[in-house]
Short mmCIF file of all heavy atoms in Angstrom, two decimals:
data_model
loop_
_atom_site.label_atom_id
_atom_site.label_comp_id
_atom_site.label_asym_id
_atom_site.label_seq_id
_atom_site.Cartn_x
_atom_site.Cartn_y
_atom_site.Cartn_z
N ALA A 4 113.23 228.59 -38.44
CA ALA A 4 114.36 228.05 -37.72
C ALA A 4 114.01 227.16 -36.61
O ALA A 4 114.41 226.03 -36.40
CB ALA A 4 115.44 229.04 -37.40
N GLU A 5 113.12 227.66 -35.76
CA GLU A 5 112.57 226.91 -34.60
C GLU A 5 111.79 225.77 -35.04
O GLU A 5 111.97 224.59 -34.40
CB GLU A 5 111.75 227.86 -33.79
CG GLU A 5 112.40 228.95 -32.98
CD GLU A 5 111.51 229.71 -32.01
OE1 GLU A 5 110.28 229.29 -31.97
OE2 GLU A 5 111.99 230.63 -31.43
N MET A 6 111.00 225.84 -36.08
CA MET A 6 110.22 224.64 -36.61
C MET A 6 111.24 223.56 -37.02
O MET A 6 111.00 222.39 -36.85
CB MET A 6 109.33 225.07 -37.68
CG MET A 6 108.13 225.96 -37.27
SD MET A 6 107.04 226.32 -38.66
CE MET A 6 106.55 224.65 -39.25
N VAL A 7 112.28 224.08 -37.79
CA VAL A 7 113.24 222.99 -38.34
C VAL A 7 113.99 222.37 -37.04
O VAL A 7 114.17 221.13 -37.04
CB VAL A 7 114.33 223.70 -39.16
CG1 VAL A 7 115.50 222.77 -39.45
CG2 VAL A 7 113.66 224.17 -40.42
N LEU A 8 114.34 223.16 -36.07
CA LEU A 8 115.01 222.67 -34.82
C LEU A 8 114.02 221.55 -34.14
O LEU A 8 114.49 220.56 -33.71
CB LEU A 8 115.35 223.76 -33.94
CG LEU A 8 115.96 223.39 -32.59
CD1 LEU A 8 117.21 222.50 -32.82
CD2 LEU A 8 116.17 224.61 -31.68
N VAL A 9 112.79 222.00 -34.01
CA VAL A 9 111.83 221.00 -33.41
C VAL A 9 111.67 219.75 -34.11
O VAL A 9 111.53 218.71 -33.66
CB VAL A 9 110.47 221.73 -33.21
CG1 VAL A 9 109.42 220.75 -32.81
CG2 VAL A 9 110.57 222.82 -32.18
N THR A 10 111.67 219.90 -35.44
CA THR A 10 111.49 218.66 -36.40
C THR A 10 112.70 217.73 -36.14
O THR A 10 112.54 216.56 -36.07
CB THR A 10 111.40 219.18 -37.80
OG1 THR A 10 110.29 220.05 -37.93
CG2 THR A 10 111.10 217.93 -38.75
N VAL A 11 113.90 218.35 -36.20
CA VAL A 11 115.08 217.50 -36.16
C VAL A 11 115.21 216.87 -34.70
O VAL A 11 115.47 215.62 -34.62
CB VAL A 11 116.34 218.41 -36.39
CG1 VAL A 11 117.71 217.62 -36.00
CG2 VAL A 11 116.38 218.92 -37.78
N LEU A 12 114.92 217.66 -33.65
CA LEU A 12 114.81 216.96 -32.30
C LEU A 12 113.84 215.93 -32.21
O LEU A 12 114.08 214.89 -31.55
CB LEU A 12 114.60 218.12 -31.29
CG LEU A 12 115.71 219.17 -30.91
CD1 LEU A 12 115.21 220.24 -30.06
CD2 LEU A 12 116.83 218.40 -30.27
N LEU A 13 112.62 216.17 -32.81
CA LEU A 13 111.67 215.12 -32.68
C LEU A 13 112.03 213.75 -33.41
O LEU A 13 111.79 212.65 -32.85
CB LEU A 13 110.32 215.58 -33.41
CG LEU A 13 109.10 214.62 -33.59
CD1 LEU A 13 108.65 214.16 -32.16
CD2 LEU A 13 107.97 215.32 -34.32
N PHE A 14 112.72 213.95 -34.55
CA PHE A 14 113.18 212.66 -35.28
C PHE A 14 114.19 211.91 -34.40
O PHE A 14 114.09 210.71 -34.16
CB PHE A 14 113.81 213.05 -36.55
CG PHE A 14 114.55 211.90 -37.18
CD1 PHE A 14 113.82 210.97 -37.92
CD2 PHE A 14 115.92 211.74 -37.20
CE1 PHE A 14 114.38 209.84 -38.50
CE2 PHE A 14 116.56 210.73 -37.80
CZ PHE A 14 115.76 209.76 -38.45
N PHE A 15 115.23 212.63 -33.84
CA PHE A 15 116.25 212.02 -33.10
C PHE A 15 115.65 211.41 -31.69
O PHE A 15 116.16 210.44 -31.18
CB PHE A 15 117.38 212.95 -32.81
CG PHE A 15 118.39 213.05 -33.99
CD1 PHE A 15 118.24 214.18 -34.76
CD2 PHE A 15 119.20 212.06 -34.36
CE1 PHE A 15 119.09 214.34 -35.88
CE2 PHE A 15 120.00 212.11 -35.50
CZ PHE A 15 119.99 213.26 -36.25
N LEU A 16 114.72 212.20 -31.11
CA LEU A 16 114.11 211.57 -29.80
C LEU A 16 113.34 210.35 -30.16
O LEU A 16 113.36 209.40 -29.28
CB LEU A 16 113.15 212.69 -29.28
CG LEU A 16 113.87 213.88 -28.60
CD1 LEU A 16 112.87 214.83 -28.24
CD2 LEU A 16 114.70 213.37 -27.40
N LEU A 17 112.65 210.25 -31.32
CA LEU A 17 111.87 209.07 -31.63
C LEU A 17 112.79 207.96 -32.06
O LEU A 17 112.64 206.72 -31.68
CB LEU A 17 110.89 209.39 -32.82
CG LEU A 17 109.67 210.26 -32.40
CD1 LEU A 17 108.85 210.46 -33.74
CD2 LEU A 17 108.80 209.44 -31.38
N TYR A 18 113.82 208.31 -32.82
CA TYR A 18 114.81 207.24 -33.34
C TYR A 18 115.63 206.67 -32.21
O TYR A 18 115.87 205.50 -32.03
CB TYR A 18 115.69 207.84 -34.39
CG TYR A 18 116.74 206.82 -34.91
CD1 TYR A 18 116.34 205.78 -35.75
CD2 TYR A 18 118.05 206.95 -34.69
CE1 TYR A 18 117.26 204.83 -36.15
CE2 TYR A 18 119.01 206.04 -35.14
CZ TYR A 18 118.57 204.96 -35.93
OH TYR A 18 119.50 204.13 -36.32
N GLY A 19 116.09 207.54 -31.26
CA GLY A 19 116.95 207.03 -30.22
C GLY A 19 116.31 207.04 -28.88
O GLY A 19 116.99 207.23 -27.83
N ARG A 20 115.02 206.76 -28.78
CA ARG A 20 114.30 206.82 -27.48
C ARG A 20 114.78 205.72 -26.57
O ARG A 20 114.85 205.91 -25.28
CB ARG A 20 112.82 206.70 -27.69
CG ARG A 20 112.30 205.42 -28.46
CD ARG A 20 110.80 205.58 -28.73
NE ARG A 20 110.23 204.41 -29.31
CZ ARG A 20 110.26 204.17 -30.65
NH1 ARG A 20 111.00 205.02 -31.50
NH2 ARG A 20 109.73 203.05 -31.22
N TYR A 21 115.11 204.53 -27.09
CA TYR A 21 115.67 203.44 -26.23
C TYR A 21 117.01 203.76 -25.64
O TYR A 21 117.29 203.54 -24.40
CB TYR A 21 115.70 202.15 -26.98
CG TYR A 21 114.35 201.76 -27.50
CD1 TYR A 21 114.11 201.59 -28.86
CD2 TYR A 21 113.29 201.46 -26.64
CE1 TYR A 21 112.93 201.18 -29.35
CE2 TYR A 21 111.97 201.11 -27.14
CZ TYR A 21 111.81 200.97 -28.50
OH TYR A 21 110.66 200.56 -29.00
N GLU A 22 117.92 204.28 -26.46
CA GLU A 22 119.15 204.66 -25.93
C GLU A 22 119.05 205.76 -24.99
O GLU A 22 119.82 205.84 -23.92
CB GLU A 22 120.14 205.06 -27.14
CG GLU A 22 120.51 203.92 -28.04
CD GLU A 22 119.45 203.59 -28.91
OE1 GLU A 22 118.41 204.19 -29.07
OE2 GLU A 22 119.75 202.54 -29.72
N LEU A 23 118.17 206.78 -25.31
CA LEU A 23 118.02 207.87 -24.26
C LEU A 23 117.46 207.45 -22.96
O LEU A 23 117.92 207.78 -21.91
CB LEU A 23 117.06 208.98 -24.92
CG LEU A 23 116.78 210.20 -24.11
CD1 LEU A 23 118.05 210.96 -23.87
CD2 LEU A 23 115.64 211.04 -24.72
N ARG A 24 116.58 206.38 -23.02
CA ARG A 24 116.15 205.82 -21.75
C ARG A 24 117.24 205.13 -20.91
O ARG A 24 117.26 205.36 -19.68
CB ARG A 24 115.01 204.76 -22.10
CG ARG A 24 114.48 204.04 -20.93
CD ARG A 24 113.81 202.67 -21.29
NE ARG A 24 114.71 201.85 -21.97
CZ ARG A 24 114.45 200.74 -22.51
NH1 ARG A 24 113.09 200.46 -22.76
NH2 ARG A 24 115.35 199.98 -23.16
N ASP A 25 118.07 204.44 -21.60
CA ASP A 25 119.17 203.81 -20.83
C ASP A 25 120.17 204.83 -20.33
O ASP A 25 120.74 204.61 -19.17
CB ASP A 25 119.97 202.80 -21.88
CG ASP A 25 119.00 201.62 -22.37
OD1 ASP A 25 118.15 201.36 -21.63
OD2 ASP A 25 119.27 201.14 -23.40
N ARG A 26 120.39 205.96 -21.03
CA ARG A 26 121.28 206.96 -20.58
C ARG A 26 120.74 207.57 -19.29
O ARG A 26 121.44 207.94 -18.34
CB ARG A 26 121.49 208.06 -21.61
CG ARG A 26 122.30 207.58 -22.82
CD ARG A 26 122.30 208.68 -23.92
NE ARG A 26 122.97 208.17 -25.13
CZ ARG A 26 124.22 208.32 -25.37
NH1 ARG A 26 125.01 208.97 -24.55
NH2 ARG A 26 124.80 207.86 -26.60
N ILE A 27 119.38 207.77 -19.33
CA ILE A 27 118.80 208.42 -18.17
C ILE A 27 118.92 207.48 -16.87
O ILE A 27 119.05 207.95 -15.78
CB ILE A 27 117.25 208.65 -18.39
CG1 ILE A 27 117.14 209.80 -19.43
CG2 ILE A 27 116.49 209.05 -17.22
CD1 ILE A 27 115.72 210.10 -19.98
N VAL A 28 118.78 206.22 -17.16
CA VAL A 28 118.87 205.15 -16.11
C VAL A 28 120.30 205.19 -15.51
O VAL A 28 120.53 205.19 -14.33
CB VAL A 28 118.43 203.74 -16.65
CG1 VAL A 28 118.85 202.67 -15.53
CG2 VAL A 28 117.00 203.76 -16.91
N ARG A 29 121.27 205.29 -16.43
CA ARG A 29 122.65 205.29 -15.93
C ARG A 29 122.95 206.62 -15.11
O ARG A 29 123.65 206.58 -14.20
CB ARG A 29 123.65 205.25 -17.14
CG ARG A 29 123.62 203.86 -17.69
CD ARG A 29 124.96 203.63 -18.45
NE ARG A 29 125.01 204.54 -19.69
CZ ARG A 29 124.55 204.29 -20.87
NH1 ARG A 29 124.00 202.99 -21.08
NH2 ARG A 29 124.77 205.07 -21.87
N LEU A 30 122.46 207.71 -15.67
CA LEU A 30 122.63 208.99 -14.96
C LEU A 30 122.00 208.90 -13.60
O LEU A 30 122.52 209.43 -12.52
CB LEU A 30 122.04 210.14 -15.68
CG LEU A 30 122.90 210.59 -17.01
CD1 LEU A 30 122.14 211.67 -17.73
CD2 LEU A 30 124.33 211.09 -16.54
N ALA A 31 120.70 208.38 -13.45
CA ALA A 31 120.06 208.29 -12.27
C ALA A 31 120.74 207.29 -11.25
O ALA A 31 120.82 207.51 -10.11
CB ALA A 31 118.61 207.66 -12.54
N THR A 32 121.33 206.29 -11.79
CA THR A 32 122.24 205.40 -11.02
C THR A 32 123.41 206.04 -10.33
O THR A 32 123.62 206.00 -9.11
CB THR A 32 122.63 204.19 -11.75
OG1 THR A 32 121.50 203.53 -12.24
CG2 THR A 32 123.40 203.22 -10.84
N ARG A 33 124.06 206.97 -11.13
CA ARG A 33 125.17 207.64 -10.59
C ARG A 33 124.72 208.68 -9.44
O ARG A 33 125.52 209.03 -8.65
CB ARG A 33 125.93 208.37 -11.78
CG ARG A 33 126.62 207.44 -12.59
CD ARG A 33 127.53 208.28 -13.64
NE ARG A 33 128.30 207.24 -14.44
CZ ARG A 33 129.14 207.69 -15.37
NH1 ARG A 33 129.36 208.92 -15.49
NH2 ARG A 33 129.83 206.78 -16.05
N ALA A 34 123.50 209.19 -9.78
CA ALA A 34 122.96 210.23 -8.80
C ALA A 34 122.25 209.53 -7.52
O ALA A 34 121.60 210.19 -6.76
CB ALA A 34 122.02 211.10 -9.50
N ARG A 35 122.33 208.21 -7.57
CA ARG A 35 121.70 207.41 -6.46
C ARG A 35 120.26 207.61 -6.43
O ARG A 35 119.62 207.75 -5.43
CB ARG A 35 122.33 207.77 -5.16
CG ARG A 35 123.83 207.40 -5.04
CD ARG A 35 124.46 207.64 -3.70
NE ARG A 35 125.86 207.31 -3.61
CZ ARG A 35 126.52 207.36 -2.62
NH1 ARG A 35 126.01 207.96 -1.48
NH2 ARG A 35 127.77 207.06 -2.55
N ILE A 36 119.65 207.66 -7.58
CA ILE A 36 118.05 207.85 -7.70
C ILE A 36 117.64 206.48 -8.17
O ILE A 36 118.05 206.01 -9.18
CB ILE A 36 117.72 208.96 -8.71
CG1 ILE A 36 118.24 210.20 -8.24
CG2 ILE A 36 116.23 208.94 -8.90
CD1 ILE A 36 117.95 211.39 -9.20
N ALA A 37 116.70 205.84 -7.36
CA ALA A 37 116.20 204.56 -7.70
C ALA A 37 115.14 204.72 -8.77
O ALA A 37 113.95 205.00 -8.59
CB ALA A 37 115.54 203.99 -6.39
N VAL A 38 115.61 204.29 -10.00
CA VAL A 38 114.67 204.29 -11.20
C VAL A 38 115.14 203.28 -12.14
O VAL A 38 116.32 203.13 -12.36
CB VAL A 38 114.66 205.69 -11.90
CG1 VAL A 38 115.96 206.15 -12.32
CG2 VAL A 38 113.71 205.66 -13.04
N ALA A 39 114.22 202.47 -12.60
CA ALA A 39 114.53 201.39 -13.57
C ALA A 39 114.10 201.70 -14.82
O ALA A 39 113.24 202.59 -15.13
CB ALA A 39 113.82 200.07 -13.01
N SER A 40 114.68 200.96 -15.90
CA SER A 40 114.27 201.29 -17.32
C SER A 40 112.90 200.94 -17.61
O SER A 40 112.12 201.46 -18.29
CB SER A 40 115.20 200.41 -18.21
OG SER A 40 115.21 199.12 -17.95
#
């Protein structure tokens, strides 16, 4: 079960890495942390 969970997470992290990066930037902006994409 852990291997399947890691596999699924790995796929979605690779597929949505650009969207995840933009979400991190937006969260950092709300937290007033200076970080750019």
Side-chain angles (χ1 to χ4, degrees):
E5 288 187 359
M6 290 181 60
V7 172
L8 178 60
V9 169
T10 303
V11 174
L12 283 174
L13 176 60
F14 171 76
F15 282 105
L16 287 174
L17 288 175
Y18 178 70
R20 59 189 184 276
Y21 301 118
E22 291 81 1
L23 182 62
R24 177 199 63 191
D25 296 336
R26 291 173 186 267
I27 293 175
V28 171
R29 290 200 295 270
L30 287 175
T32 303
R33 291 187 177 184
R35 297 182 179 180
I36 298 176
V38 57
S40 59

